[in-house]
Amino acid sequence: MLAQRALFDLDTVTRPSLLAKEVVSMTITRQDTNAIRALQGLEDSRSSVRLRAALAVGTTPDPRFVDKLIERCAIEPEFFVRDMLTWALTRHPVSMTLPELVREVRSQRAQARSQALHTLSKIGDRQAWPAITRALLSDADDEVARSAWRAAVVLVPEGEESALAAVLARQLGRGGRQTQLSLSRALVALGEVIVPALHAATTAPDPCVRTHALATQRLLREPDTGFEFAIEEAKRVVALGRSGQEG
């Protein structure tokens, strides 16, 4: 009788424990299945599937996703999917994403550099500042340079804004309208510290540099002014041989 009771007690104690282990095992298996499905979805030929996969990865962050997300950023052709990949990365611990992204900004692939810089600007951790080199700020690829400018403005340490403004001002006159607009916005975001660098650029030998500098000055003084209007007005000033500093 005692033996039977002992068996009954043991069975009563161990059954819930075994059941709990089974539930945990099933949960882990389900999580693994979902992870595999999401990782496979990131490589699907359909952009809508890749978008949903990136959303799923960001919704349920997992350290196993980080490398794949960064790898996919370098080759993803669709802008809106890349943006979701960046969002998914921001959902993971900075301690895991930051070292990988800093390594990626040195990639030979322009898109890898550009997207890594964009993601660093979204994370906003100033530990990444040393990775924003002059080489990136003057990268031959316009998209990389634009991403570097935006990241630099977000990550620049307090007290180094003037030095950054001087470096960015060397890019005035570069590229088409979108590139010039990006640079003007980055400079204006730094505030009044850009005034000396812009003033010097208004007397540069290159009329494109002078025009861009004058337009950026106008945007700093009047933020609501449209960029196209500011550029056209600056062109007229330069054509008339004025510095734009009068009156």
Side-chain angles (χ1 to χ4, degrees):
M1 186 69 178
L2 287 174
Q4 289 179 346
R5 184 177 303 164
L7 288 172
F8 175 80
D9 290 343
L10 180 62
D11 187 50
T12 302
V13 170
T14 58
R15 187 175 299 162
S17 177
L18 290 172
L19 181 60
K21 289 181 180 178
E22 290 173 1
V23 170
V24 170
S25 178
M26 288 173 61
T27 301
I28 292 174
T29 301
R30 190 178 302 115
Q31 289 175 344
D32 288 343
T33 301
N34 291 340
I36 292 169
R37 187 180 296 117
L39 291 173
Q40 290 173 338
L42 291 175
E43 298 181 346
D44 196 276
S45 61
R46 295 161 294 179
S47 60
S48 59
V49 175
R50 299 197 302 275
L51 182 67
R52 288 197 299 272
L55 175 61
V57 170
T59 302
T60 311
D62 187 314
R64 294 172 295 178
F65 294 142
V66 172
D67 287 345
K68 188 63 179 180
L69 288 170
I70 292 176
E71 175 188 316
R72 189 65 208 175
C73 281
I75 58 175
E76 172 56 50
E78 299 292 342
F79 168 78
F80 57 92
V81 179
R82 291 199 302 273
D83 222 34
M84 188 64 77
L85 291 168
T86 282
W87 172 78
L89 282 166
T90 66
R91 297 270 296 156
H92 289 77
V94 173
S95 61
M96 298 188 62
T97 57
L98 197 65
E100 298 301 320
L101 291 167
V102 166
R103 188 176 300 114
E104 196 73 353
V105 302
R106 299 191 291 270
S107 170
Q108 294 299 309
R109 187 188 292 268
Q111 182 173 304
R113 299 197 301 278
S114 176
Q115 199 63 26
L117 287 163
H118 174 65
T119 305
L120 287 173
S121 73
K122 294 300 181 182
I123 292 173
D125 192 306
R126 286 183 171 175
Q127 292 182 84
W129 170 247
I132 312 301
T133 62
R134 293 196 178 198
L136 286 171
L137 293 170
S138 59
D139 197 283
D141 186 283
D142 283 348
E143 288 304 313
V144 175
R146 291 172 66 190
S147 295
W149 301 336
R150 290 190 291 266
V153 169
V154 172
L155 302 174
V156 61
E158 186 175 351
E160 295 192 33
E161 295 89 349
S162 295
L164 175 59
V167 173
L168 293 182
R170 297 192 185 104
Q171 300 297 308
L172 286 165
R174 170 181 174 164
R177 282 288 190 271
Q178 287 304 311
T179 299
Q180 292 189 4
L181 174 58
S182 291
L183 181 57
S184 290
R185 283 176 171 169
L187 283 164
V188 169
L190 291 173
E192 293 295 324
V193 297
I194 70 172
V195 170
L198 289 181
H199 182 80
T202 60
T203 61
D206 187 338
C208 291
V209 173
R210 297 201 301 276
T211 299
H212 196 183
L214 289 170
T216 306
Q217 280 184 331
R218 178 67 181 268
L219 293 176
L220 179 64
R221 293 195 305 267
E222 302 172 36
D224 293 333
T225 301
F227 184 68
E228 285 298 327
F229 178 83
I231 281 285
E232 293 305 318
E233 182 184 70
K235 281 182 178 179
R236 288 193 292 271
V237 171
V238 170
L240 291 170
R242 295 158 53 197
S243 68
Q245 305 301 322
E246 297 88 345

